[in-house]
Amino acid sequence: MSEILLEFQKETNPDYKFSKLGEAMQLLNEDNVAETLEIFESIPFVFESAQEYRMLLYAWSQFDSYSAIDYCKSRSSGIGSGFAISGVVEGWAARDPTSAKAWVESPGNTGLAKLYNFGLIKGWASQDLKGAAKYVMNLGEGDEVGKLGGILANEYNKRSFGEASFWAEQLGDKKMKEAAFTSLSRKLARDQPESVSSWLEAHVNQKYAGKAFENLGKRWSETDPETAIRFFSDLPAGKTQEIGIKSVIGNWAKQDPLSAGEWLNDRPAGPELDSALSVYASTVSNEDAGAAMEWAISISQEKLQQQTIRKVGQEWYRQDKDAVEVWLPESGLSEEMMKSIRKPPKKNWWQQLSEK
């Protein structure tokens, strides 16, 4: 065990490093846990090393969950300790969901029980999906219950998409249903867009499916924006169509702004197209903000139009200050808007990266 851990400690290649750690964790037991913890003392108990600790705590939970929990409390406190303990609970629940559930529900854990439930359901569902689903159904309503529905949806999908989608459709809790639909679409929309679109078509303009349709548009448009835009164009008019077209246009404008612009030009103007016009103008402004301004001005909803004009105008000012100064006096914009355009905020590195 000590030799394996030393190799793990010295290794710099992440593939080999985690392979060695996995080998060591298979051997972890009551007799060598102390020497293992000596190695881990040199690994900071922080987010960046979460994977190492997740492997340790999962393996430790297979024979001594209580000591693993105490260790988490000794290394951190509050929410940090809570996340680590949730990892212990995951491994515990995969081995013995009944005792793990009893510990989570004990009076001393009331404050962080909702957090611990994420570990409980992950571990429990990996071994007894029906039991975990029944437990979540009995929790009542709440934001965390919805997120737990997403975890369950992913587990059902490991069996088959048909079983997962059927299960999601039967859910009565609105937040859980939305989370299940969202989770399945996020996981499958890029590689199986036809399957996801066929499934979602029966849920057009349903609030619980809104995020799922948005995910479908974003992911499908990464590989085939023209087919994606045709799918959403053929849907009945409404919120789903508006969300879908907007999500497709965002990616299509990056890949082929000319084709995306031609498609928008062929559509009748109106409020239902405004969000797509806004995302198109914002996207193409990174390359040609002067041309993008024409699209921004064509937006019919005043509030969205003004927001887009400000964003595009500031980008244009960064690119060609002199051209903007010529255009502004004749633009008809308010003094406040012109002042805002002349003072564009500095972009951070993440904004610059995401525009590429």
Side-chain angles (χ1 to χ4, degrees):
M1 181 66 158
S2 59
E3 290 180 4
I4 298 172
L5 286 171
L6 284 174
E7 288 183 51
F8 154 71
Q9 197 173 26
K10 294 176 181 178
E11 184 59 64
T12 56
N13 183 313
D15 293 330
Y16 294 131
K17 188 176 185 69
F18 283 108
S19 175
K20 280 297 173 184
L21 182 57
E23 186 180 347
M25 291 305 98
Q26 290 180 16
L27 301 174
L28 190 69
N29 57 42
E30 293 179 349
D31 296 328
N32 58 33
V33 67
E35 63 180 292
T36 301
L37 294 182
E38 289 180 8
I39 296 292
F40 272 82
E41 286 297 324
S42 64
I43 302 175
F45 200 74
V46 294
F47 177 79
E48 288 75 13
S49 51
Q51 183 60 23
E52 288 95 326
Y53 277 99
R54 184 175 185 273
M55 294 173 71
L56 167 69
L57 297 172
Y58 193 99
W60 198 352
S61 71
Q62 300 309 295
F63 60 89
D64 191 353
S65 301
Y66 291 102
S67 293
I69 289 170
D70 289 340
Y71 175 78
C72 293
K73 293 178 180 178
S74 72
R75 294 294 305 271
S76 184
S77 60
I79 197 73
S81 174
F83 275 111
I85 291 173
S86 184
V88 178
V89 175
E90 179 183 349
W92 191 0
R95 172 176 59 86
D96 182 1
T98 301
S99 59
K101 171 179 171 291
W103 182 85
V104 169
E105 293 178 336
S106 61
N109 291 325
T110 302
L112 290 173
K114 291 181 179 180
L115 177 57
Y116 297 153
N117 268 332
F118 286 95
L120 176 65
I121 297 307
K122 281 183 180 180
W124 193 350
S126 69
Q127 303 299 323
D128 176 17
L129 185 50
K130 287 185 177 179
K134 183 178 179 181
Y135 174 79
V136 173
M137 298 292 189
N138 292 328
L139 285 176
E141 297 185 353
D143 291 339
E144 78 286 351
V145 175
K147 292 182 175 64
L148 293 173
I151 294 173
L152 293 171
N154 286 336
E155 287 297 328
Y156 273 105
N157 187 57
K158 290 177 182 178
R159 298 182 175 186
S160 74
F161 175 62
E163 187 171 352
S165 57
F166 178 79
W167 175 79
E169 289 174 334
Q170 308 309 308
L171 292 171
D173 183 275
K174 293 179 181 179
K175 289 186 177 180
M176 190 183 298
K177 191 168 190 174
E178 180 180 1
F181 270 69
T182 301
S183 180
L184 289 174
S185 65
R186 185 185 299 117
K187 212 167 194 59
L188 300 169
R190 190 179 190 279
D191 297 325
Q192 300 180 42
E194 290 83 5
S195 297
V196 176
S197 60
S198 296
W199 168 52
L200 289 178
E201 203 164 359
H203 304 277
V204 170
N205 293 328
Q206 297 296 327
K207 187 176 180 181
Y208 59 78
K211 290 283 187 182
F213 276 106
E214 183 178 354
N215 286 337
L216 175 62
K218 287 180 178 178
R219 302 308 302 276
W220 199 354
S221 62
E222 291 175 1
T223 57
D224 192 354
E226 294 187 20
T227 302
I229 206 76
R230 281 197 297 271
F231 168 77
F232 284 106
S233 300
D234 291 340
L235 293 180
K239 197 66 178 177
T240 292
Q241 187 183 68
E242 182 181 340
I243 290 172
I245 289 175
K246 174 188 175 182
S247 61
V248 173
I249 289 294
N251 275 328
W252 198 8
K254 291 179 181 178
Q255 300 170 21
D256 188 353
L258 181 60
S259 296
E262 289 175 349
W263 186 90
L264 287 170
N265 262 331
D266 290 340
R267 301 284 292 185
E272 65 278 358
L273 200 64
D274 281 347
S275 59
L277 289 171
S278 177
V279 75
Y280 180 80
S282 298
T283 301
V284 300
S285 71
N286 295 318
E287 299 296 330
D288 188 352
M293 183 59 76
E294 297 181 27
W295 292 96
I297 292 171
S298 71
I299 296 170
S300 61
Q301 298 177 60
E302 184 178 358
K303 184 176 180 180
L304 182 59
Q305 181 200 55
Q306 294 297 300
Q307 290 174 346
T308 310
I309 286 175
R310 176 180 286 104
K311 183 176 182 180
V312 171
Q314 290 174 340
E315 183 59 39
W316 191 8
Y317 201 83
R318 294 186 190 100
Q319 295 173 7
D320 192 345
K321 173 182 175 181
D322 293 338
V324 177
E325 289 294 354
V326 171
W327 174 78
L328 279 176
E330 307 298 326
S331 65
L333 298 178
S334 67
E335 288 295 328
E336 181 184 357
M337 177 65 78
M338 289 192 286
K339 183 179 180 181
S340 177
I341 288 174
R342 288 185 171 109
K343 293 184 176 180
K346 186 176 181 181
K347 293 183 180 181
N348 58 43
W349 69 273
W350 179 253
Q351 288 173 313
Q352 296 173 22
L353 183 64
S354 62
E355 290 169 358
K356 296 180 179 180

